[in-house]
Amino acid sequence: MPVVVGPFVGRDRELRELLSAPGITLLGGDAGVGKTRLLRELAAATTDRVLIGHCLDLGESSAPYLPWSEMWGRLAQAAPDLVGELVARRPLLGSLLPGYDAAAAGQADAGPGVLYDAVHASLETLAAQGPITVMVEDLHWADRSTRDLLTVLFTRQFEGPVRFVASYRADDLHRRHPLRRILGEWGRLPGVERMILEPLRDDDIHHLATGLRPAITTEQVDMVLERSGGNPFFVEELLAVDRANCTGVPEDLADLLLVRVDALSDDARTVVRAVSAAGRSVTHARLATVVPLSQTALEEALAALVDHNLLEARGTDSYTFRHALLAEAVYDDLLPGERVRWHAAYVEALSSSSELGAAADLAHHAQAAGQLDIAAAAAVRAGDEAMRAVGPADAARLYEDALSIFARHPDVAPPVPLAQIAARTSTALLAAGDPYRAAQTAREALAVPGLAAHDYADLVIGLVSAAIPTGDPLDPTVELRHAIRLLEPEGPTARAAQLHALLGRWCFFVDDFDTALVELTAARRLAQELELPAVLLDVDTTSARIVDLHGESAAALGQLQDVAESARRAAEPDPEVRALHQVARVYTRQGRHRKAQQAFEVALQRSIETRHELALFGMDARVASAYWAVQTGDWARAEQLLAAPQLRKAPYATYQLRAVAATLAMARGEHERALQIALELRPQWSKDVFLAVHAGSALIDVLGALARPDEMLRSLDEVNEIFRATWNAPLIDARIRLSGIAIGHLATATDQEYAADVARLADATDEVAARSKALDDLGPESVAWVTRVQAGVARFAWGGTGEPPAELITVLRTDVRQFDELEIPLEAARARTHLARALGASSEPGAAKEARVVASDAQRAMHDLGVRAVAAPVESHPTLTAREREVLQLVAQGRTNGQIARELFISVKTASVHVSNIVAKLGVTNRTEAAMAASAQGLLPAAAPTDATAP
């Protein structure tokens, strides 16, 4: 069997079925689908004696019983005495071994029946010694004698534990193939089962591709998914051909695919080449128009192609290649002039077609034929069709194809002004979940002078609609007001209403509430006058959020629920989902995070029900639901929300969900995974404020946990600089949380070398908090993180040694209470860990007892959450040496390795080794968690009053 290249994926169910199947299994599937790999795994997993034989593609020159000769020959090498005994009992069995002389053995006149008896009896003899599994591979190449022998064995069956698995290529079985008939006969025998290996599912191909190439991008995985057709062999070959972009059909693979094409008649080759130029599929009527064959000749050619499993009939009127790579290989084999001729023929056939999708096909063929004017016009028309069919991703691609033609060929005249095509492109990109490119497309088009008023307005609408959700740093106020002025001569218009509503939303976004209310009033007046329900609902939603920020949250929630209900009755899904989304935002601002998570789930469900999951508020509802599921401790639900393959091609959601995945990995203690994801997202920080905050915080947190403080501080400074330079927001509230994470890790390490950094971060926190308090905009979560910063500063000053200040214990108690109230259990558990350490070192009466209770509560909470870095409570203590217990006591008191070495008169390296051993034995990942686990499990002596578990 060949060397296994990739991981074994997607076949666990089939492997279990084969392991439990007692009789005969006929295993079919296309070439490369994984039959050999499955048999290899079966051979490795079973405890049976395994006999393997292969049929070979030797045509008419194949020797009889070839797989049986291989099978018995291997057994003779492994167990010569056993085979000698079998041959002695049944001499004709020796005919399957090299060097056998039938005449000398007195078997010259023996017929096939005697050999069949010998093989059957020998298998029974082997089965008497223990179960055996017989594997025969590639039955589609089997010689007549092998097929006849299998028929006898399958018919007679066995008394002992003999299992057969025989594989064949289903795509090689044309109508006249000899195996095709006999498979039907075998399938009717008792004890014979047929198993067909289907192509792998998309998630299995994703697993295989990432296993073969861990650094592969999402775009490359999507390309492999599309081209491989779920065939694992094709996946491996595609990834091997071009490690940069996975393009091109490998030459060896192309030769393999074209072998069956070369064996076809001239007419069949003509037809298959015409289909390859069409794409992967084509209707019969279109093919009849393009191919220069009579109807009879065309039908005969198509019948041959279907019979040889090159094409499949789809529905009642079309044909498609069985594999996308086969279509590519045939197309690549066309000469350049031949390609142009076929594409030109399709252009002629499609020019007068009004079928749905014909415009997109026409654009493709016209561009390939060099008829660019036709291609560009058709691409725009096809983009419009795709938008009407709710296919924004396809529409964006088609519009961008048209824009590319116009940019490269200025002599090609656009069917409508370029600004209109750019505006449609921006709208399509936004609807497809890519606000980054949507904003960029609109901004580039706005730079062209002399735009018509309505074109300028449409581009501004596209720009601002894309800029708001990502926190785009470029203020569009000037463009919005200019667009409104340009439209004034036209009187009241829907565009003007949209512009006022967007300006109001932007002003709300930047906390300019007075201006926001003025613009929203203007938008409401126009929306009522022109009967624009979607604009009116949008205005009411923004107005409700302003009410919330003025301190009337209950009224805001009522208004938003009314907007959502009105939108539902009016069948306006976008405003409905936005209103439901903003309900969750109100709960978030109140610090009611479980309610917020539930409200985001409601918004997400409505986006799914209304087919608006790819709209911005639908995507954001999923991201926010996943994030708050992580924060509130529902990690199983977070995993479900993060698994969203339908959003793979939506960069906005993909990046943000990856940031949440990094947060979840860090919460669980999966440090390497969190680090990998966070570093992948680092180049995207300046694109989206969410990514900077959440991917940045995950990176800062994991670097601190991995004891890499210098890298942690550099990453923190990098995020803060992005806040300042990209968004002009040097005092954004998120800095409080980031500083709290960093100071917390520095306090745990207790390295006084970083005293200046702790002071610097604490000062920055005070500055940010003071600004937010002045604006009455410091929410409950930010208040809790201010406390976390204060607790970290106090812990750092204490250093973990000696009597902890009373102020430290007070602020740590506040830290615990605030995160409990916010319903963020992991942060509350972390706060309890630090409180337990401080209490354990306190000489106050009852402090040590309380320390044990608090530490146990923290550990139980982390264990219940699923934090993998924290050991579960145990009934018996880990085995620690006397020296390790001494070291553990000092670790619990916050000593560094250097301090431990000095107190115990050992080297720093030896101290480090002891700490590593303790961490491993306790099942934790760092010294802080080791101290917590030791306290909870009573592993420390109780003599000194500063001991972490002193009574």
Side-chain angles (χ1 to χ4, degrees), residues 454-487:
H454 58 277
D455 291 341
Y456 186 90
D458 288 345
L459 287 168
V460 170
I461 289 170
L463 171 64
V464 181
S465 298
I468 289 176
T470 62
D472 192 300
L474 298 178
D475 186 345
T477 304
V478 172
E479 288 84 355
L480 282 164
R481 294 195 182 282
H482 183 55
I484 291 171
R485 285 195 299 273
L486 288 175
L487 291 176

Side-chain angles (χ1 to χ4, degrees), residues 36-214:
T36 295
R37 179 63 187 275
L38 179 58
L39 293 183
R40 183 185 183 93
E41 295 295 329
L42 173 62
T46 185
T47 57
D48 297 357
R49 182 196 296 273
V50 178
L51 305 177
I52 303 174
H54 297 80
C55 306
L56 299 180
D57 184 16
L58 300 178
E60 298 300 323
S61 62
S62 176
Y65 307 116
L66 194 61
W68 300 98
S69 296
E70 177 189 359
M71 196 181 303
W72 293 110
R74 289 186 176 189
L75 185 61
Q77 291 178 348
D81 293 341
L82 174 60
V83 172
E85 181 182 341
L86 292 174
V87 172
R89 293 182 182 181
R90 302 280 180 169
L92 196 56
L93 186 68
S95 66
L96 301 177
L97 298 172
Y100 176 77
D101 187 340
Q107 302 291 319
D109 297 326
V114 179
L115 177 62
Y116 300 162
D117 290 342
V119 172
H120 186 275
S122 297
L123 291 175
E124 287 281 28
T125 300
L126 291 174
Q129 301 176 8
I132 62 172
T133 294
V134 180
M135 299 181 185
V136 182
E137 284 209 63
D138 298 323
L139 276 180
H140 52 283
W141 290 327
D143 56 88
R144 169 71 180 272
S145 299
T146 292
R147 296 195 300 270
D148 290 346
L149 174 53
L150 284 173
T151 298
V152 171
L153 296 176
F154 292 172
T155 303
R156 290 184 182 179
Q157 301 193 356
F158 295 87
E159 294 181 4
V162 178
R163 169 170 52 196
F164 272 88
V165 184
S167 70
Y168 63 92
R169 285 186 186 172
D171 50 344
D172 270 13
L173 301 188
H174 53 78
R175 282 181 298 177
R176 292 177 298 280
H177 196 291
L179 185 62
R180 187 163 181 167
R181 175 189 56 80
I182 203 167
L183 281 174
E185 296 175 359
W186 289 344
R188 290 189 290 272
L189 295 174
V192 176
E193 300 291 338
R194 295 183 71 168
M195 176 186 291
I196 299 297
L197 284 192
E198 300 294 342
L200 292 177
R201 298 173 304 176
D202 286 0
D203 55 345
D204 294 324
I205 291 293
H206 186 279
H207 184 190
L208 176 60
T210 53
L212 289 166
R213 193 192 300 182

Side-chain angles (χ1 to χ4, degrees), residues 789-822:
V789 168
Q790 295 167 349
V793 171
R795 287 197 302 118
F796 186 86
W798 171 47
T801 60
E803 184 73 16
E807 295 80 3
L808 169 61
I809 293 179
T810 298
V811 74
L812 287 171
R813 292 188 193 280
T814 303
D815 194 13
V816 170
R817 175 180 55 78
Q818 288 177 334
F819 279 106
D820 274 341
E821 291 173 352
L822 289 171

Side-chain angles (χ1 to χ4, degrees), residues 629-643:
V630 173
Q631 295 299 316
T632 57
D634 191 353
W635 292 354
R637 179 56 181 155
E639 287 279 16
Q640 293 173 346
L641 291 162
L642 291 172

